[in-house]
Amino acid sequence: MESPNRVRQVRLQHGLSREDLAEHVGVTRQMIGLIETGKVNPSTSISLRLGKVLNSSVEYLFSTDPVETINAKVVTESDVHQEVSQRVVIGSVMGQNIARPLTFVHPMAQFVAAHGIVPSANPSNRVELYRDVHRTDKTLFISGCDLGLGLLANHISHASRHHQGIWFQASNRAAIEELRRGYTHVAAVHTHLSIEEFKQTLDLPFQVHAMHFSIGQLGWIVSRGNPRGFTSAGDLASGQYTIVNRPAGAGARELLDSELKRYGVPAQDIPGYQSVVRGHIDVAYAVFNGLADVGLAHASAAAQYGLDFLPIRPETCMLVFSPESELDESLQVLQESLQSDSFRQDLAAFGPYDVRATGKTIQ
């Protein structure tokens, strides 16, 4: 009895001949032909080798379910090799299906259940779905660097059986750029400016609406007990402290450069200034593991690792979105989650955060 599979389809996507695949797997060309036509069921060891060579799970290669596909614009990540297949989630942003990869670039999103896969060398932006055709209007993408956004995404997913919130880690500048390009529904940004001043800094082709997320503290993260006695950016002039930095476009990076300028400390003289990590939690991780003595990040990141925190200034985190998105069901679920007592209590405990204005519309 013949057993249908996807081995030939995936082999061709990788640009491999039967001979090539046979050589990598350690079987004959004829055996590959028999497997592809479903005339032979391979052993477990051969199946595992096929999966490894073709960068696919055994379940995917030998599933008998028909492949459902959906057309979507696939967002590419500069840090990800495009020659390998990618797990993706799909959402409808301003009327267009957007497929976003679940990769190490967004560590919290890596463990989200994917909606499908984009095969390698995929020129047509067709996504092969793992399950029945996905309701793309039920997915909400949130981009930003605040750790509380991961909590918000989970509350959205738990508050509604039909909607899913997914957090993608991004600096202020990157989150706004994703909103501008139509890759995300909501951009979360931190600012110490007024909303009027902040809106003037945005480079967007449309007006935006905004809601309060939280107020938190941005400052120095140091080891528990502050054993090296760090006090301010002025201490960095000694060259005795190694720091961990954030990328250009991040609010923490801008504050660090401002503090160095205030104390007259040349950035090039500071050990670790060129050592850049993506998010606040990565800063805390580096300090916790002794990879750096100090870093600038949010108090919530320090709290997750039990580290000491030296505040510099409070910052408001706002959720910014296009007015076109305001009628989306998923955004309404987000607003309901923000305004719920359970979420605000959870966020305050997760922080520390000031949540008295959480969920309120910013005029």
Side-chain angles (χ1 to χ4, degrees), residues 172-334:
N172 279 359
R173 184 186 299 174
I176 289 297
E177 178 63 13
E178 289 181 11
L179 186 67
R180 185 187 72 79
R181 299 179 72 176
Y183 292 168
T184 193
H185 298 91
V186 177
V189 289
H190 293 90
T191 182
H192 60 285
L193 303 174
S194 69
I195 183 61
E196 293 78 15
E197 293 173 317
F198 171 72
K199 283 186 175 181
Q200 292 175 5
T201 68
L202 299 180
D203 180 23
L204 291 171
F206 47 77
Q207 293 297 313
V208 295
H209 290 180
M211 289 181 291
H212 278 285
F213 181 65
S214 65
I215 298 175
Q217 292 285 337
L218 185 61
W220 301 105
I221 291 181
V222 295
S223 296
R224 180 181 295 183
N226 194 8
R228 303 204 59 197
F230 182 86
T231 60
S232 71
D235 295 340
L236 298 174
S238 68
Q240 300 301 308
Y241 297 91
T242 299
I243 69 168
V244 58
N245 208 348
R246 294 287 312 289
R253 171 67 168 266
E254 293 172 2
L255 179 57
L256 173 62
D257 290 342
S258 174
E259 288 291 287
L260 294 178
K261 183 177 180 180
R262 183 159 75 98
Y263 283 91
V265 180
Q268 65 270 18
D269 294 345
I270 304 172
Y273 181 84
Q274 302 300 330
S275 176
V276 174
V277 295
R278 293 185 64 88
H280 293 269
I281 197 65
D282 302 307
V283 173
Y285 176 88
V287 174
F288 180 80
N289 286 283
L291 304 175
D293 299 310
V294 63
L296 259 176
H298 288 139
S300 57
Q304 304 313 307
Y305 281 97
L307 300 171
D308 279 14
F309 180 77
L310 311 177
I312 297 177
R313 72 183 185 201
E315 287 195 330
T316 297
C317 181
M318 295 181 287
L319 305 181
V320 181
F321 52 93
S322 163
E324 289 183 36
S325 302
E326 201 157 18
L327 296 178
D328 289 355
E329 241 181 272
S330 296
L331 197 68
Q332 292 172 20
V333 174
L334 175 142

Side-chain angles (χ1 to χ4, degrees), residues 148 151 213-214 342-353 355 358:
L151 195 65
F213 181 65
S214 65
S342 61
F343 173 70
R344 285 186 289 190
Q345 290 169 2
D346 202 12
L347 182 63
F350 179 80
Y353 290 107
V355 298
T358 297

Side-chain angles (χ1 to χ4, degrees), residues 1 8 22 64 72 89 94 105 122 133-134 145 147 223 228-229 256 276-277 287 304 308 332 336 343 355-356 362:
M1 178 178 177
R8 180 177 183 277
T64 58
V89 286
M94 288 189 275
V105 176
N122 176 51
V133 176
H134 175 68
C145 62
L147 297 183
S223 296
R228 303 204 59 197
L256 173 62
V276 174
V277 295
V287 174
Q304 304 313 307
D308 279 14
Q332 292 172 20
E336 291 169 4
F343 173 70
V355 298
R356 286 174 291 182
I362 299 174

